[in-house]
Amino acid sequence: MSAPEGHPQRSTISHRGRSSVPVANSNTDGKDVPEFEPFGLMPRGPPPLKEFLDIWDVNMLNQPNEINKRNHHTHLYATENLIVRRGQEFQIRITFDRPYKPTQDHFLVEFVIGSYPQVSKGTYIPLRVDEELSGSWRGRVVQTMDNMVTVGITPAPDCIVGRFRMYVAVITPYGIRRTQKDPSRDVYILFNPWSPADTVFLNDEAERDECILNESGIIFYGEASDISVRPWNYGQFEYGVLDACLQVMDRATMPLVNRGDAVKVARMASAMMNSKDDDGVLVGNWTGDYFYGVAPTSWTGSVEILLDYANSNQGVCYAQCWVYAGVFNTFLRCLGIPARVVSNFYSAHDNDGNLRTDIILDENGKVDKERTKDSIWNYHCWNECYMARTDLPQGFGGWQVVDATPQETSDGLYRCGPASVHAIKHGQVCYPFDAPFIFAEVNSDVVFYQRNKNGTLEPVRVNKSHVGRMVLTKDIGKESARDITSQYKFAEDTEEERTVLQKAEEFGCSRIQSTLPPADVEMKASVQDVMVGNDFQLSLEFRNQSDSHRTTNVYISGNVVYYTGVTSSEFILKTQNVTLKPFESKVVIVDVKSQEYLRKLVDQANLHFIITGRVDESGQIITAMHVVSLHTPKLSIKVSGTARVSEEMLVTVEFTNPFKFNLEDVSVRMEGPGLMLAKKKQYSLIPTNSTLTWTESFKPRRSGQAWLMASLDCQALRQVYGHLEVNIQP
């Protein structure tokens, strides 16, 4: 066992000699602004201020049912503070000691963020509400009634995103008198996908609601012909999550002036979601040894992870690609950037830009495992976020790929994107950021090479359609999958695809150029759905496309693999001789017993079959590949009680062990946005055929539809999930 990766302290270098003040890179830092700021030298004693306005109260109109949070779609956030979106007016109500007289009274509403606030940096905004100003922030008096003045404030559509301190200040001939610092008056300003002036504007109401307001998600995994679902609680509105997301930017020491740029925020976060090189949120682990943390397959949502990181300032153990994507999705949605999780089935990891995954065969057509090093992930999850790309030519805005899983460095850090999906589809991989890497993930060829006796490699078979077989995301308003493969690539063997590949080659992404003759014998592999622990049959279909007899000897290699395609162990190796008459089709059945693979299974229970052979008469190589994603049983979730806000309800999770072996050291988790925070329970033993039952009480915190999600996880059985939709009445 190895301890989790460390978190060395960063060395800090003084700003002296380079700038007059340090770069403001923390949302939380900030000195108190004086309550009275004189305009010059003052006579002894307090200034005569009684004749000028005095501020008695400032009402932020911050309740969930009041105008601001409803109009700004922020009423779901579990915080008392006012949360608004930039580029859109919000209101505050100020009570003075007497009626406001516009001709003689002058006051400011000031917004301050970080240390050393400056107007030029957008960290200090003094807003006059009694005159027309040319500034990017706007203020106006909406209504006056007795001593109360309602003020409308519109932040600039490109202003800094973060937590601003707010003051109301009265201007007198002697100086400025302002309210005391009061954290309850702090205002969170977020990106605004409802505003056409904001770079993250998304002009599709249904998609906007899904990618900003939906807290519950489905992440797809498994194998391209056998898709499974993993429920995930994004929980972007839960208590403490917004502050945790702002803390992520602080930990990255991201300058405040950059925090209004969605491209820079997304790129920063793709690095900060992993802890590989920058004290980020999640520690990756693909070894199967999770003694020092939580198994990636055990997590059911982002909330627990982000709150743990915010409280400990250390990376949370452990994550794999869907955990990175799930937490990243929470970060983006929480700050107001439309985002969704995407699963790419058969995802190539190409670090040299040659768009090729190599499988080496010996002279008889058998896989040479010593020399075959490349792997293809059964699936890989990343994120898409929606934004304009003002740094690119017109037409490359919209959905952008960002990936937090640490695979390759980009500009010195483990991060990826944002890269325009439109640019990837059209081969314009010259545009930042990291488009060639993502292009390869969906467009690589699988090339089979035969190693000759003299050591040279000769390409004998190319599969151009295996990688990037399918790209899925959750459908809008549904639990089903939405196929978005066509947004990443044109159909195989079309004129558009050839044009795209030629364009990509101009920028250094080249495919193999060999033209191989079509094989006269075709082979396909298939398997019916298989439950963990069951025997099954591998079906091999051979078709002779020639007018002559054909004989081939095929090697059937079955391997236990991680979902990254890396082989753990080979559990079956068989040979099969097949004789075909002219134009004959024949099906060969290979029996696979559970005892052959069960003891060797690793995380996610994936089996990978590679079938290769040589046609005796023509010398041609034939190949087929098939991934079997073993199914796991489901958790049963039931609720009882009155489904109403603040009424106590009960949730019961049940699981029956269907296997012939006991399950030991079992972890069960459950949670639900707006319903209950994550709870977990350990069971030392679940004997075969016995049933686990766990009941917990909860009180819904808000009305509407919400999901309860649960997971069961242990060394012998991963990825056991269940979820249930609950409709809570007011």
Side-chain angles (χ1 to χ4, degrees):
M1 296 180 184
S2 59
E5 59 196 67
H7 304 275
Q9 294 293 320
R10 290 195 185 128
S11 60
T12 57
I13 300 175
S14 172
H15 68 281
R16 292 179 62 187
R18 185 171 183 269
S19 59
S20 57
V21 295
V23 174
N25 54 27
S26 175
N27 196 105
T28 56
D29 290 346
K31 299 177 181 178
D32 289 345
V33 178
E35 289 183 47
F36 184 76
E37 188 176 345
F39 288 150
L41 294 175
M42 294 289 296
R44 290 185 179 181
L49 300 177
K50 288 186 178 182
E51 60 187 283
F52 302 103
L53 280 177
D54 193 8
I55 304 151
W56 280 4
D57 182 60
V58 180
N59 184 347
M60 302 301 295
L61 303 177
N62 57 354
Q63 295 304 306
N65 59 344
E66 291 184 300
I67 184 172
N68 287 328
K69 288 188 175 181
R70 285 291 171 182
N71 286 353
H72 287 255
H73 308 278
T74 59
H75 57 285
L76 296 175
Y77 285 90
T79 179
E80 291 295 323
N81 285 81
L82 178 59
I83 304 173
V84 298
R85 301 187 187 275
R86 63 188 192 175
Q88 181 177 341
E89 185 179 82
F90 66 93
Q91 296 180 7
I92 62 173
R93 187 168 295 143
I94 306 168
T95 302
F96 295 107
D97 61 334
R98 60 169 173 77
Y100 166 65
K101 302 174 183 177
T103 56
Q104 68 181 60
D105 297 326
H106 304 284
F107 69 92
L108 297 170
V109 181
E110 299 173 306
F111 294 87
V112 181
I113 187 170
S115 301
Y116 309 101
Q118 299 172 263
V119 173
S120 62
K121 302 292 187 183
T123 54
Y124 172 58
I125 299 94
L127 191 61
R128 293 284 291 266
V129 297
D130 54 355
E131 61 182 39
E132 288 293 329
L133 295 177
S134 59
S136 54
W137 289 57
R138 299 190 305 276
R140 68 186 182 99
V141 174
V142 176
Q143 184 185 42
T144 60
M145 186 174 63
D146 297 330
N147 295 7
M148 291 187 296
V149 178
T150 301
V151 177
I153 299 164
T154 305
D158 60 352
C159 75
I160 293 168
V161 166
R163 180 172 180 162
F164 285 79
R165 305 186 298 281
M166 195 202 76
Y167 303 90
V168 178
V170 174
I171 303 173
T172 75
Y174 305 99
I176 298 176
R177 177 171 61 185
R178 56 172 59 89
T179 52
Q180 293 181 337
K181 180 179 179 181
D182 185 349
S184 69
R185 295 189 190 129
D186 288 356
V187 180
Y188 294 88
I189 299 181
L190 309 180
F191 292 100
N192 191 354
W194 282 266
S195 170
D198 200 310
T199 55
V200 301
F201 174 61
L202 176 56
N203 193 22
D204 183 317
E205 183 178 359
E207 193 153 45
R208 192 172 55 218
D209 288 350
E210 174 71 39
C211 296
I212 287 290
L213 300 180
N214 194 355
E215 295 177 90
S216 302
I218 292 288
I219 300 177
F220 299 97
Y221 71 99
E223 188 268 329
S225 60
D226 186 14
I227 306 298
S228 297
V229 298
R230 176 183 281 114
W232 194 265
N233 173 23
Y234 298 124
Q236 64 266 33
F237 304 125
E238 295 289 353
Y239 181 80
V241 171
L242 177 54
D243 284 320
C245 293
L246 297 180
Q247 187 174 328
V248 168
M249 293 194 280
D250 287 351
R251 290 279 289 171
T253 62
M254 183 181 193
L256 292 176
V257 294
N258 291 339
R259 298 190 191 186
D261 187 328
V263 173
K264 292 179 180 178
V265 169
R267 184 154 174 79
M268 172 281 305
S270 75
M272 282 301 296
M273 288 301 112
N274 69 74
S275 64
K276 193 75 173 177
D277 45 24
D278 50 11
D279 300 340
V281 177
L282 285 157
V283 179
N285 187 343
W286 283 262
T287 66
D289 176 7
Y290 309 122
F291 180 80
Y292 291 100
V294 176
T297 46
S298 185
W299 297 114
T300 48
S302 309
V303 178
E304 185 181 357
I305 293 170
L306 284 167
L307 296 185
D308 189 0
Y309 177 74
N311 292 327
S312 68
N313 281 326
Q314 290 191 342
V316 180
C317 302
Y318 290 105
Q320 291 175 10
C321 71
W322 70 92
V323 184
Y324 287 114
V327 177
F328 199 177
N329 217 54
T330 299
F331 175 90
L332 293 166
R333 289 187 183 183
C334 186
L335 294 183
I337 301 175
R340 60 192 187 189
V341 174
V342 167
S343 299
N344 177 37
F345 289 87
Y346 300 137
S347 187
H349 182 169
D350 181 65
N351 56 12
D352 54 11
N354 64 5
L355 300 185
R356 197 173 66 230
T357 298
D358 302 333
I359 298 178
I360 314 301
L361 310 177
D362 64 19
E363 57 187 15
N364 296 316
K366 181 181 176 182
V367 175
D368 187 336
K369 294 186 178 297
E370 291 295 319
R371 292 179 171 84
T372 299
K373 304 299 182 185
D374 288 352
S375 65
I376 299 171
W377 294 37
N378 295 346
Y379 68 94
H380 177 50
C381 298
W382 59 65
N383 301 81
E384 287 181 0
C385 52
Y386 196 91
M387 61 186 67
R389 289 298 299 269
T390 56
D391 57 323
L392 302 183
Q394 190 172 4
F396 292 100
W399 290 111
Q400 312 288 315
V401 173
V402 283
D403 190 350
T405 302
Q407 297 180 86
E408 299 293 330
T409 57
S410 173
D411 296 334
L413 294 176
Y414 281 93
R415 57 184 169 187
C416 184
S420 167
V421 174
H422 183 82
I424 293 165
K425 179 174 181 177
H426 290 85
Q428 300 279 4
V429 295
C430 58
Y431 295 124
F433 298 89
D434 310 309
F437 184 83
I438 300 159
F439 185 87
E441 287 185 297
V442 295
N443 284 293
S444 289
D445 295 334
V446 180
V447 183
F448 292 84
Y449 288 89
Q450 188 169 35
R451 189 171 185 272
N452 300 318
K453 291 182 178 180
N454 61 4
T456 59
L457 296 177
E458 177 187 357
V460 292
R461 189 84 173 180
V462 179
N463 188 332
K464 295 180 178 292
S465 61
H466 184 72
V467 169
R469 181 86 59 85
M470 187 185 299
V471 184
L472 299 180
T473 190
K474 179 183 175 297
D475 206 352
I476 299 172
K478 303 175 184 177
E479 295 185 27
S480 55
R482 178 183 177 188
D483 191 336
I484 56 171
T485 312
S486 62
Q487 296 183 22
Y488 279 84
K489 56 200 294 190
F490 291 99
E492 296 286 340
D493 297 324
T494 61
E495 185 62 36
E496 292 91 344
E497 188 214 23
R498 285 188 283 273
T499 302
V500 166
L501 294 174
Q502 290 172 2
K503 178 65 68 176
E505 285 180 13
E506 294 176 11
F507 301 116
C509 295
S510 59
R511 274 178 144 175
I512 187 169
Q513 300 297 324
S514 301
T515 302
L516 303 175
D520 50 16
V521 175
E522 278 196 352
M523 175 174 59
K524 292 183 179 179
S526 61
V527 173
Q528 298 296 319
D529 291 353
V530 186
M531 185 69 72
V532 171
N534 287 356
D535 300 341
F536 63 93
Q537 293 182 327
L538 173 69
S539 176
L540 302 178
E541 181 184 357
F542 297 85
R543 188 165 71 232
N544 182 4
Q545 301 183 104
S546 73
D547 56 2
S548 304
H549 283 77
R550 290 290 183 257
T551 303
T552 181
N553 197 47
V554 295
Y555 297 91
I556 304 160
S557 173
N559 303 274
V560 172
V561 296
Y562 297 91
Y563 86 98
T564 57
V566 175
T567 298
S568 172
S569 60
E570 186 177 60
F571 70 90
I572 191 172
L573 179 61
K574 296 183 178 180
T575 58
Q576 181 77 41
N577 188 270
V578 180
T579 302
L580 299 168
K581 298 175 183 178
F583 303 109
E584 181 187 10
S585 294
K586 181 180 290 186
V587 176
V588 174
I589 300 297
V590 180
D591 292 317
V592 180
K593 302 296 182 183
S594 63
Q595 59 262 32
E596 293 177 303
Y597 69 80
L598 197 55
R599 295 291 181 183
K600 299 181 179 181
L601 285 181
V602 293
D603 282 7
Q604 304 199 39
N606 290 311
L607 308 177
H608 187 203
F609 290 92
I610 301 180
I611 305 97
T612 58
R614 186 185 186 91
V615 179
D616 293 345
E617 291 79 4
S618 65
Q620 289 184 327
I621 297 294
I622 59 174
T623 64
M625 296 186 296
H626 192 79
V627 174
V628 178
S629 184
L630 300 174
H631 288 236
T632 55
K634 303 295 182 185
L635 286 179
S636 168
I637 304 178
K638 300 176 182 178
V639 296
S640 59
T642 304
R644 185 171 287 115
V645 172
S646 299
E647 294 280 344
E648 186 170 83
M649 298 181 67
L650 297 177
V651 54
T652 300
V653 175
E654 285 190 358
F655 174 79
T656 300
N657 180 4
F659 304 109
K660 299 176 183 178
F661 51 87
N662 297 335
L663 299 177
E664 299 177 353
D665 194 19
V666 179
S667 172
V668 185
R669 269 180 157 77
M670 71 167 86
E671 63 180 305
L675 300 176
M676 63 187 300
L677 294 176
K679 296 184 178 181
K680 54 189 174 183
K681 197 167 185 179
Q682 290 292 128
Y683 293 85
S684 58
L685 182 70
I686 306 178
T688 181
N689 295 322
S690 69
T691 299
L692 170 157
T693 302
W694 177 24
T695 300
E696 285 282 349
S697 64
F698 66 97
K699 292 182 179 180
R701 299 190 297 278
R702 58 175 182 259
S703 61
Q705 291 183 330
W707 287 8
L708 281 165
M709 310 169 199
S711 73
L712 180 145
D713 199 86
C714 65
Q715 184 69 39
L717 184 64
R718 307 284 189 196
Q719 301 189 129
V720 179
Y721 301 112
H723 69 280
L724 177 70
E725 187 173 62
V726 184
N727 190 15
I728 305 298
Q729 299 301 316

